[in-house]
Amino acid sequence: MCNVCGCGDSRIEGHSHEHSHDHSHDDHHHPHQHNDHHHAVTDVPQSVVIHHHYHHQGDVHHHVHYTLPVGAMPQQATHGHHHEHETNHQHQHQHSHDHAHDGDNHHTHHQPERLNSGDLHYGKGEAEVHVAGVSQRQLLTLEMDILGNNNQLAAHNREHFIENQQLVLNLVSSPGSGKTTLLTETLMQLKDHCACAVIEGDQQTTNDADRIRATSVPAIQVNTGKGCHLDAQMIHDAYHQLAINQPGFLFIENVGNLVCPASFDLGEASKVAILSVTEGEDKPLKYPNMFAAADLMIINKIDLLPYVDVNIDDCVANARKVNPEIQVIKLSAKTGEGMDAWLNWLTENRQQL
């Protein structure tokens, strides 16, 4: 779970760091005041950073930083990251600690909640992540708070999408699976029949958003910086920046990553996992959370099957070991083979809105 990934410097095209706007609807009107929580800590207004630090093995420092709104309790931390560094200790420590001296002036620092070997789960504990100096219970609490805040905003996003009769899909995959090529080909087929828009997620550049805009479909780029996924706040801000309210499709192309995006609800109707045949048939078993969260798996680049050593039937079977209900479409965005099945799936799911 990505609760310490450093997702602190995202940028949305045309979006200021601080803004307020009103959302007007047929049935209700409600103002919003936003503080942008996805910029560097120094940019976060009305917040404080809590530093948990401890020392071990000589001069190695470990720090965990949580960002809290002013007045919040510690369990309401919204972001966190961890880093370590070495120093020569050329400064005086301003905190109290016990010293055990021997002939070599060796220092032992005693800190509360010292970890023991049973806490070093390396992804196998309750929180399914390991951070030096932070217990599984602390990580689990932080994870629940982050996801709880995200899910509240995702529910708010979903209200907008349903009100505007938009089928919103979260496209997730590894880098290089062919997401953007599939998306551009899909838009070329759909754009003359209904409204379409795209929110693009990448760490840097506007390359993919530029490719989408070349199809005459509106798109906005979200650059996540060090962040490895999109979250509901980013989608909320980008959606209102796009200012789209026509019935149709909104495609969210997530950052290339099969881990963290699995945990973050954006308000979408479905996650669509895109898997290239070049990635091998065991990918669903290696990244089970993503395929468990997806309603549809697209096996892309089937035009390459004669040139790769992969068994597609085994790939489908592995996905269904993780998620027995997952639907599967095999296609090639390059040749067009199988695209009709994908377009039919889109139409059928939009009709169910």
Side-chain angles (χ1 to χ4, degrees):
M1 190 355 231
C2 175
N3 50 14
V4 287
C5 65
C7 304
D9 57 354
S10 67
R11 295 292 184 271
I12 298 171
E13 285 184 297
H15 178 63
S16 61
H17 290 204
E18 246 181 278
H19 67 278
S20 62
H21 57 261
D22 295 336
H23 303 298
S24 298
H25 307 284
D26 293 338
D27 298 324
H28 61 278
H29 175 83
H30 57 282
H32 289 258
Q33 178 71 36
H34 300 280
N35 292 330
D36 196 333
H37 298 295
H38 300 287
H39 296 267
V41 169
T42 54
D43 293 334
V44 178
Q46 298 182 333
S47 65
V48 295
V49 179
I50 295 178
H51 306 266
H52 293 289
H53 57 99
Y54 68 95
H55 309 265
H56 76 98
Q57 296 178 348
D59 294 329
V60 179
H61 283 205
H62 291 266
H63 298 257
V64 178
H65 300 243
Y66 302 144
T67 302
L68 254 61
V70 169
M73 297 299 290
Q75 63 266 28
Q76 293 175 288
T78 56
H79 286 78
H81 66 273
H82 165 265
H83 68 270
E84 62 184 60
H85 63 273
E86 293 184 343
T87 179
N88 291 324
H89 280 267
Q90 298 300 318
H91 60 276
Q92 295 293 323
H93 295 291
Q94 299 303 316
H95 57 276
S96 62
H97 52 267
D98 297 330
H99 295 270
H101 296 274
D102 55 21
D104 295 324
N105 289 326
H106 174 72
H107 290 252
T108 301
H109 299 264
H110 300 283
Q111 298 293 332
E113 296 191 49
R114 290 286 294 175
L115 300 181
N116 56 50
S117 59
D119 292 311
L120 304 180
H121 296 284
Y122 295 99
K124 296 183 180 179
E126 292 175 293
E128 298 184 349
V129 68
H130 167 71
V131 177
V134 186
S135 71
Q136 289 289 294
R137 180 176 297 179
Q138 288 171 316
L139 285 171
L140 191 60
T141 299
L142 181 59
E143 176 181 327
M144 292 172 65
D145 291 335
I146 292 172
L147 290 181
N149 293 336
N150 180 83
N151 291 345
Q152 288 182 4
L153 191 51
H156 174 71
N157 291 344
R158 189 170 287 111
E159 291 176 359
H160 285 303
F161 303 152
I162 292 173
E163 180 180 12
N164 291 329
Q165 298 180 356
Q166 295 160 342
L167 178 64
V168 180
L169 300 176
N170 184 1
L171 307 183
V172 293
S173 78
S174 301
S177 68
K179 283 196 308 297
T180 309
T181 298
L182 174 60
L183 186 50
T184 55
E185 293 301 315
T186 301
L187 294 172
M188 293 299 292
Q189 297 290 328
L190 292 175
K191 65 176 186 174
D192 293 333
H193 305 286
C194 61
C196 298
V198 176
I199 296 174
E200 279 286 345
D202 278 305
Q203 285 192 302
Q204 297 294 343
T205 82
T206 62
N207 293 351
D208 286 352
D210 293 339
R211 289 176 63 185
I212 298 301
R213 288 189 282 254
T215 70
S216 301
V217 170
I220 192 164
Q221 183 76 51
V222 180
N223 288 136
T224 60
K226 295 180 181 179
C228 50
H229 63 275
L230 297 173
D231 64 24
Q233 179 73 59
M234 298 175 191
I235 298 304
H236 175 272
D237 294 343
Y239 183 73
H240 289 293
Q241 190 72 22
L242 277 171
I244 52 172
N245 53 23
Q246 309 99 311
F249 294 93
L250 172 62
F251 295 95
I252 300 169
E253 185 176 350
N254 218 313
V255 178
N257 179 3
L258 282 176
V259 183
C260 302
S263 299
F264 284 81
D265 182 10
L266 307 179
E268 73 270 22
S270 295
K271 286 183 174 67
V272 177
I274 301 168
L275 180 68
S276 165
V277 298
T278 60
E279 297 177 69
E281 62 267 8
D282 60 349
K283 211 60 173 286
L285 301 180
K286 290 181 177 180
Y287 300 92
N289 290 351
M290 181 59 77
F291 291 88
D295 291 318
L296 173 68
M297 177 176 71
I298 292 178
I299 301 177
N300 194 18
K301 303 186 182 181
I302 60 172
D303 54 298
L304 297 180
L305 280 174
Y307 311 104
V308 295
D309 184 15
V310 63
N311 188 312
I312 290 297
D313 292 336
D314 286 349
C315 181
V316 174
N318 288 335
R320 287 184 171 147
K321 288 178 184 177
V322 173
N323 181 356
E325 304 300 322
I326 197 168
Q327 300 177 65
V328 178
I329 294 174
K330 308 167 192 177
L331 58 78
S332 167
K334 181 177 180 180
T335 67
E337 182 181 357
M339 284 292 291
D340 286 345
W342 163 233
L343 295 170
N344 289 338
W345 187 92
L346 290 171
T347 301
E348 291 171 4
N349 279 267
R350 183 171 175 269
Q351 289 173 347
Q352 295 174 13
L353 293 178

